[in-house]
């Protein structure tokens, strides 16, 4: 109420009057000056610490930014390491494939060289057989009335005459070659003989070529009487 407010103001005035009388105006002035000085210092410190806090906040933001950048760099580094691991694995795989390819090529070269050596050996043996047959030409011509001709693909053609007493000049012939295995092989026979396969097998087993030619001539002779 208004009476209570008036009473409170009166009490405050009395307290202030008594305070002045006890402590004195000068001491009050010093106290007030000290208060103002403290207040100024507090404000200065507050401003200083406020500035420090702001700097601290900026520093924290900067540190957080650095941390984020480090995390991002670590993530990129991890991805690069994974890519590097994949590249190394692919390189190892390609090196293994390259090694396997080289080994395969080496193996094929060795097989090819061996096949060529075998082929060369067989060709040499076949050539030697043909040469031996050609050397026997005179003997066959004299004793068996046989003419031997060398035709295409290193084949020999054997022509018998004086077999058919009705037509002495009628030719009876067969063609002989040396196959890839180095064996004698009859490629044609005119007129055809049913026993030619048997003779061919026998000459492969015995390697008696003279008997082989003689047997064929006998078979032609027997055929001429049918």
């Amino acid at each position: 109420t208004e009476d209570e407010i008036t009473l409170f103001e009166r009490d405050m005035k009395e307290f202030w009057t008594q305070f002045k009388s006890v402590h004195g105006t000068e001491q009050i002035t010093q106290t007030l000056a000290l208060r103002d000085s403290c207040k100024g210092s507090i404000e200065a410190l507050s401003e200083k610490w406020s500035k420090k806090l702001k700097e601290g906040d900026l520093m924290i933001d900067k540190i957080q930014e650095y941390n984020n950048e480090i995390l991002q760099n670590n993530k990129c580094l991890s991805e690069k390491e994974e890519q590097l691991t994949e590249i190394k694995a692919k390189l190892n795989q390609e090196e293994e494939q390259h090694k396997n390819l080289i080994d395969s090529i080496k193996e094929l070269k060795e097989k090819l060289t061996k096949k060529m050596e075998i082929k060369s050996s067989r060709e040499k043996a076949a050539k030697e057989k043909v040469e031996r047959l050609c050397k026997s030409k005179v003997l066959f011509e004299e004793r068996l009335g046989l003419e031997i001709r060398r035709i295409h693909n290193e084949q020999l053609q054997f022509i018998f005459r004086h077999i058919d007493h009705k037509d002495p000049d009628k030719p009876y012939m067969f063609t002989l070659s040396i196959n890839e295995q180095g064996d004698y092989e009859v490629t044609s026979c005119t007129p055809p003989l049913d026993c030619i396969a048997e003779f061919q097998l026998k000459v492969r087993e015995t390697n008696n070529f003279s008997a082989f030619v003689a047997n064929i001539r006998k078979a032609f002779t027997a055929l001429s009487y049918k």
Side-chain angles (χ1 to χ4, degrees):
T1 61
E2 292 182 2
D3 292 338
E4 289 176 345
I5 293 172
T6 301
L7 182 60
F8 177 74
E9 290 178 351
R10 188 186 66 188
D11 291 339
M12 286 297 296
K13 287 179 180 179
E14 289 178 359
F15 171 77
W16 187 246
T17 300
Q18 291 176 2
F19 182 80
K20 285 181 179 181
S21 64
V22 173
H23 296 284
T25 304
E26 184 177 353
Q27 188 174 359
I28 292 171
T29 302
Q30 291 176 356
T31 301
L32 293 173
L34 181 60
R35 182 197 66 182
D36 293 339
S37 176
C38 289
K39 184 178 180 181
S41 297
I42 290 171
E43 290 177 352
L45 286 172
S46 296
E47 184 177 354
K48 180 178 180 180
W49 282 110
S50 177
K51 184 177 180 182
K52 292 290 185 183
L53 287 173
K54 289 181 180 180
E55 291 176 354
D57 291 340
L58 291 174
M59 184 64 69
I60 290 172
D61 292 341
K62 203 68 176 177
I63 291 172
Q64 186 63 40
E65 183 179 346
Y66 288 153
N67 285 336
N68 293 336
E69 186 175 349
I70 291 172
L71 289 174
Q72 185 66 28
N73 289 336
N74 288 338
K75 182 179 179 181
C76 292
L77 182 60
S78 178
E79 292 176 353
K80 294 294 183 182
E81 288 177 350
E82 291 178 359
Q83 293 176 359
L84 182 60
T85 301
E86 292 178 359
I87 292 172
K88 286 182 177 179
K90 289 182 179 179
L91 286 175
N92 291 334
Q93 184 179 3
E94 289 178 357
E95 287 178 358
E96 185 67 21
Q97 292 176 349
H98 182 66
K99 182 178 178 297
N100 293 337
L101 181 60
I102 290 176
D103 292 340
S104 298
I105 292 173
K106 183 179 178 181
E107 184 179 356
L108 288 174
K109 283 183 177 179
E110 291 175 353
K111 289 182 178 179
L112 181 60
T113 301
K114 189 173 181 180
K115 286 183 178 180
M116 291 178 67
E117 289 175 353
I118 294 173
K119 182 180 179 181
S120 176
S121 177
R122 288 175 176 172
E123 287 178 350
K124 182 179 179 182
K127 187 176 180 180
E128 290 174 354
K129 283 187 177 182
V130 171
E131 289 176 354
R132 286 198 299 269
L133 293 176
C134 289
K135 288 179 181 179
S136 304
K137 178 180 179 181
V138 175
L139 176 63
F140 288 135
E141 288 178 348
E142 291 178 353
R143 295 187 179 182
L144 302 177
L146 173 65
E147 179 185 355
I148 300 175
R149 298 175 182 175
R150 179 176 289 185
I151 59 176
H152 57 86
N153 296 330
E154 293 298 325
Q155 295 186 97
L156 292 178
Q157 188 178 60
F158 295 76
I159 304 172
F160 296 97
R161 301 183 190 277
H162 308 295
I163 289 179
D164 188 347
H165 62 282
K166 296 179 182 179
D167 186 3
D169 291 330
K170 180 180 179 180
Y172 290 74
M173 67 186 71
F174 72 93
T175 304
L176 189 71
S177 68
I178 308 298
N179 61 23
E180 292 183 356
Q181 287 71 36
D183 296 325
Y184 295 112
E185 183 173 351
V186 177
T187 57
S188 67
C189 183
T190 306
L193 294 173
D194 295 335
C195 55
I196 197 70
E198 179 184 349
F199 293 161
Q200 178 177 270
L201 180 61
K202 191 170 183 179
V203 73
R204 289 179 180 178
E205 293 174 350
T206 63
N207 203 33
N208 189 339
F209 189 76
S210 297
F212 169 70
V213 175
N215 287 332
I216 291 180
R217 189 178 191 284
K218 289 177 182 179
F220 280 145
T221 302
L223 185 65
S224 68
Y225 286 102
K226 290 184 179 180

